[in-house]
Amino acid sequence: MTIVSDTSANADEKIERAARVLRASKQCKETYVAIYKGKKAWKTVEDIRGSVSNFNVNTYKAAAKLYSEDIVEKKVIKGVIYYGKKDFYAHNRQRILSLSANGVRLKSYPTKRKHASQTIIKNYAFRSRPQAEMLTVDDIDSFKAVRKIASADASSLKDMPERRVNRAICTIANQSEKKDWGGERNDIYTNNLIFKGKRKAAAFALKGKATKGILTPNKMGKKADQVQRLFEGTAEIHVVVHHSDIDERVLDQMQAQAINKSVATGKKIFYCPVDGKDLGRLQAAYPKAFQ
């Protein structure tokens, strides 16, 4: 089994790395807090003087270190250096600070890199190797009508409400809809999905018209943890549905989570990306469900 590496764009990797940088240096931690404090987007090192307990040349070095680690932005105006916030680290500020303050939790914090290394070690603890397999929409019996559709016009999907896609998939899978609520593991959970002639439990994450362009990890939930939440629970098949292209990094995350879940459960775990092309084919195969 080939495990694809993705060191820079994976959300968990970035959070862990930032926490380690802050834990290793009090100056870095105080400088990070000062830069991300308040509504001001850009600050000079002099602007944060009052927020750092021991302001000295190391404060300048700390700001430069945060920039070198891609944790803050940097620009120069008339010879003056300004440091600015990055959306990802602003959104995950409390998570990073909490993790940096807890060495035990930081050591065990789950990332794709750790999942991959743990898989190699844990192979010896199981009679069979962990198994993770990527499916396409054509592989799922419940969607078998799509096999007759080679291609379809998917232009209307970008303006289609997520609830309509949800209702269509539930209709096809003979599953009742559930109401949305914040922090949910998935958008659809069903044990009615037919795969290789057998019923399987499946969880779906849907990204509707509110999510523009290519689906990347940072668009998967406010904390970029939607893929991780999708693999929680008892489902064996995990599906991400988007009206446009799905970035390869999302597939990397799905693969890593599938491997980790297979190690934990001893079962074969499946993951399935359904991008705009396949969703368009699904709409063409089941037009009444999408009405």
Side-chain angles (χ1 to χ4, degrees):
M1 179 185 299
T2 301
I3 300 176
V4 181
S5 176
D6 175 21
T7 57
S8 62
N10 181 278
D12 290 331
E13 297 279 354
K14 291 165 72 175
I15 289 171
E16 183 206 36
R17 178 57 187 166
R20 290 192 180 280
V21 170
L22 301 193
R23 185 172 178 80
S25 167
K26 181 180 178 181
Q27 284 279 6
C28 280
K29 188 170 187 176
E30 291 186 348
T31 302
Y32 171 84
V33 171
I35 291 173
Y36 281 88
K37 182 179 180 181
K39 296 182 179 180
K40 193 173 181 180
W42 294 91
K43 300 175 183 177
T44 66
V45 176
E46 289 294 327
D47 289 335
I48 67 174
R49 175 185 287 270
S51 301
V52 178
S53 60
N54 186 24
F55 186 91
N56 53 39
V57 67
N58 289 327
T59 307
Y60 290 84
K61 293 180 179 179
K65 172 68 174 177
L66 294 176
Y67 173 70
S68 70
E69 293 287 349
D70 200 32
I71 297 173
V72 299
E73 299 279 16
K74 175 183 172 182
K75 66 180 179 181
V76 180
I77 301 177
K78 295 182 178 179
V80 178
I81 299 175
Y82 290 79
Y83 293 97
K85 303 173 183 177
K86 296 176 76 75
D87 287 344
F88 177 86
Y89 294 100
H91 292 157
N92 290 281
R93 176 176 174 273
Q94 286 304 124
R95 193 174 178 186
I96 292 168
L97 289 173
S98 176
L99 195 61
S100 70
N102 190 325
V104 175
R105 185 174 167 223
L106 178 58
K107 186 176 181 180
S108 62
Y109 187 74
T111 65
K112 184 174 59 182
R113 171 175 49 79
K114 288 180 181 176
H115 293 334
S117 63
Q118 288 170 2
T119 298
I120 296 172
I121 296 170
K122 291 185 178 181
N123 279 346
Y124 297 100
F126 292 88
R127 294 181 180 179
S128 59
R129 293 174 60 85
Q131 299 179 77
E133 180 180 342
M134 187 173 79
L135 306 177
T136 68
V137 68
D138 305 72
D139 296 320
I140 299 173
D141 296 344
S142 292
F143 303 143
K144 62 183 179 181
V146 82
R147 299 166 187 168
K148 299 179 181 179
I149 310 296
S151 62
D153 182 11
S155 59
S156 64
L157 296 175
K158 294 182 180 180
D159 297 318
M160 185 176 293
E162 183 180 305
R163 175 50 53 183
R164 185 173 168 189
V165 177
N166 189 314
R167 185 175 297 115
I169 292 176
C170 287
T171 299
I172 299 168
N174 193 29
Q175 174 66 38
S176 59
E177 295 180 65
K178 73 173 185 179
K179 295 181 179 180
D180 293 329
W181 58 276
E184 60 190 354
R185 287 178 173 176
N186 49 68
D187 295 301
I188 300 172
Y189 180 88
T190 178
N191 61 3
N192 291 328
L193 205 70
I194 308 300
F195 175 63
K196 292 186 176 180
K198 296 182 179 180
R199 286 175 55 181
K200 294 285 186 180
F204 291 74
L206 311 179
K207 305 304 292 183
K209 66 178 184 178
T211 305
K212 308 296 184 183
I214 298 174
L215 183 62
T216 59
N218 286 347
K219 296 178 182 179
M220 297 292 290
K222 291 182 179 180
K223 297 181 180 179
D225 64 348
Q226 192 171 4
V227 170
Q228 180 179 334
R229 286 187 281 116
L230 179 67
F231 280 79
E232 296 174 353
T234 58
E236 295 178 64
I237 300 176
H238 309 78
V239 187
V240 170
V241 182
H242 182 52
H243 58 72
S244 187
D245 292 337
I246 299 177
D247 192 281
E248 185 180 0
R249 293 170 294 173
V250 174
L251 304 188
D252 292 345
Q253 285 189 342
M254 294 179 75
Q255 182 192 54
Q257 292 293 338
I259 291 171
N260 190 52
K261 190 169 184 177
S262 178
V263 169
T265 63
K267 296 180 179 180
K268 188 171 187 177
I269 301 300
F270 303 92
Y271 61 103
C272 177
V274 178
D275 61 10
K277 299 181 185 67
D278 283 340
L279 187 58
R281 293 172 60 218
L282 200 62
Q283 181 185 29
Y286 299 93
K288 292 183 178 180
F290 281 84
Q291 289 178 355

